[in-house]
């Protein structure tokens, strides 16, 4: 009888392993919706579908090649490790759930989000800034909203529609005028795909402001190169803003002082 009990336990553990492999395959090929459907098969499937083993694999696939993905994974790994360390037993540690699922949900807000839309035809590429002057009432509203949120908006070649490719852009070196107009540098930071689009008729006399819920497009193997290029361009734009704030006289004085230091050396 003891042998039979051991065999039954080993069989149960093997069944869990098999279910885990099935759910990982389902989630990685079919996504969250397929995992949710599979979790309704029975209590065993539901328990394993909630495990960190399944959600860790989902997170790593979802985040692959995005800027910040390595840091997201590091934080989630440390949080999961801390949860296991605080478990009362080895069995409880093995069944820790929720850490990676919470991380997935947290960063989904970074990958899928609604932004106001500026649309204009022309060539645009990630990490290649351009200067714009916002003067239309709808774009005065756009820059006001962007500054109140995260200084970002979507740049689209035409009015947004589902499936269209566009760019998420940062507002840099912004100069606002009393009437709401603005001069700024626009820095495209990522390509995105429009999931949903809507219009905001904020004033009956003006054209509406377009909005789009967009999903960031994975940059692929070039992700690290793009991240470094963006960091370099941001530094350049920050230097331009400092030079503008200091004024030409202060910049010239600083340059002269630097030249004198080089001569002394």
């Amino acid at each position: 009888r003891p042998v039979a009990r051991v065999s039954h336990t080993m069989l149960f553990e093997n069944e869990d392993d098999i279910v885990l492999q099935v759910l990982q395959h389902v989630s990685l090929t079919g996504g969250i919706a397929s995992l949710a459907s599979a979790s309704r098969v029975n209590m065993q499937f539901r328990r394993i579908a909630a495990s960190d083993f399944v959600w860790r694999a989902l997170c790593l696939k979802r985040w692959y090649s995005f800027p910040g993905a390595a840091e997201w994974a590091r934080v989630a790994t440390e949080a999961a490790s801390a949860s296991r360390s605080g478990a009362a037993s080895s069995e409880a540690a093995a069944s820790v759930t929720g850490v990676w699922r919470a991380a997935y949900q947290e960063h989904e807000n970074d990958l899928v989000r609604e932004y106001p839309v500026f649309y204009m035809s022309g060539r645009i590429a990630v990490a290649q800034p351009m200067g714009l002057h916002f003067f239309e009432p709808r774009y005065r509203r756009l820059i006001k909203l962007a500054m109140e949120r995260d200084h970002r908006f979507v740049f689209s070649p035409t009015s947004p529609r589902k499936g269209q490719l566009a760019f998420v852009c940062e507002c840099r070196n912004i100069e606002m005028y009393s009437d709401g107009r603005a001069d700024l540098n626009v820095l495209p930071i990522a390509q995105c795909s429009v999931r949903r689009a809507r219009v905001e008729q904020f004033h009956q006399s003006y054209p509406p402001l377009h909005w789009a819920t967009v999903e960031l497009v994975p940059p692929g193997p070039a992700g690290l190169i793009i991240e470094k290029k963006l960091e370099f361009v941001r530094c350049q734009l920050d230097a331009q803003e400092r030079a503008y704030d200091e004024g030409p006289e202060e910049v010239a004085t600083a340059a002269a002082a630097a030249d004198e230091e080089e001569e002394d050396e």
Side-chain angles (χ1 to χ4, degrees):
R1 293 180 65 84
V3 173
R5 283 198 297 271
V6 171
S7 299
H8 178 75
T9 302
M10 293 177 62
L11 177 61
F12 181 76
E13 291 175 350
N14 289 337
E15 286 178 353
D16 269 10
D17 290 341
I18 293 171
V19 172
L20 174 61
Q21 292 179 32
V22 169
L23 290 177
Q24 284 181 329
H25 176 76
V26 167
S27 62
L28 293 177
T29 56
I32 300 298
S34 297
L35 178 62
S37 297
S39 68
R40 292 193 286 268
V41 170
N42 58 34
M43 293 297 294
Q44 183 186 22
F45 273 60
R46 181 179 302 176
R47 172 175 55 81
I48 298 175
S51 71
D52 275 355
F53 293 108
V54 172
W55 283 91
R56 180 181 180 277
L58 265 174
C59 286
L60 297 181
K61 180 183 180 183
R62 178 72 169 121
W63 301 343
Y64 172 71
S65 80
F66 282 114
E71 178 64 12
W72 300 347
R74 183 190 66 78
V75 171
T77 299
E78 290 180 356
S81 178
S83 295
R84 288 193 296 271
S85 298
S89 65
S90 59
E91 291 183 1
S95 61
V96 167
T97 62
V99 174
W100 281 92
R101 179 162 57 179
Y104 185 99
Q105 293 169 343
E106 175 186 354
H107 295 297
E108 196 66 9
N109 294 328
D110 297 316
L111 302 180
V112 180
R113 192 166 184 180
E114 186 181 50
Y115 293 100
V117 178
F118 170 80
Y119 68 90
M120 181 180 72
S121 61
R123 296 178 62 87
I124 181 172
V126 172
Q128 294 186 12
M130 67 180 72
L132 288 179
H133 174 66
F134 285 165
F135 61 92
E136 288 188 52
R138 56 181 167 176
Y139 297 136
R140 297 184 200 184
R141 175 163 174 75
L142 179 149
I143 190 62
K144 178 178 181 296
L145 291 168
M147 291 181 68
E148 291 173 351
R149 302 170 78 207
D150 58 359
H151 285 221
R152 294 181 180 183
F153 66 93
V154 164
F155 192 126
S156 175
T158 62
S159 58
R161 62 185 184 277
K162 184 177 180 180
Q164 183 180 38
L165 292 178
F167 291 86
V168 175
C169 297
E170 286 181 353
C171 304
R172 313 283 299 194
N173 304 7
I174 306 167
E175 183 175 1
M176 296 290 298
Y177 301 99
S178 59
D179 60 359
R181 293 178 300 117
D183 289 318
L184 67 155
N185 284 318
V186 174
L187 177 61
I189 61 170
Q191 194 173 40
C192 62
S193 176
V194 176
R195 281 189 172 186
R196 294 182 299 276
R198 65 181 179 91
V199 294
E200 177 193 3
Q201 192 67 57
F202 64 95
H203 194 287
Q204 61 182 5
S205 302
Y206 302 137
L209 176 63
H210 290 258
W211 288 77
T213 299
V214 299
E215 179 177 357
L216 297 189
V217 176
L224 289 177
I225 298 174
I226 292 173
E227 190 172 359
K228 290 181 179 179
K229 189 172 182 180
L230 281 171
E231 183 179 355
F232 175 74
V233 174
R234 287 186 180 111
C235 288
Q236 286 186 317
L237 293 174
D238 288 344
Q240 290 177 14
E241 187 169 23
R242 285 195 301 270
Y244 179 83
D245 291 340
E246 292 171 356
E249 293 182 359
E250 287 80 357
V251 173
T253 301
D259 290 341
E260 290 179 2
E261 288 181 3
E262 289 183 1
E263 290 177 2
D264 292 341
E265 290 177 358

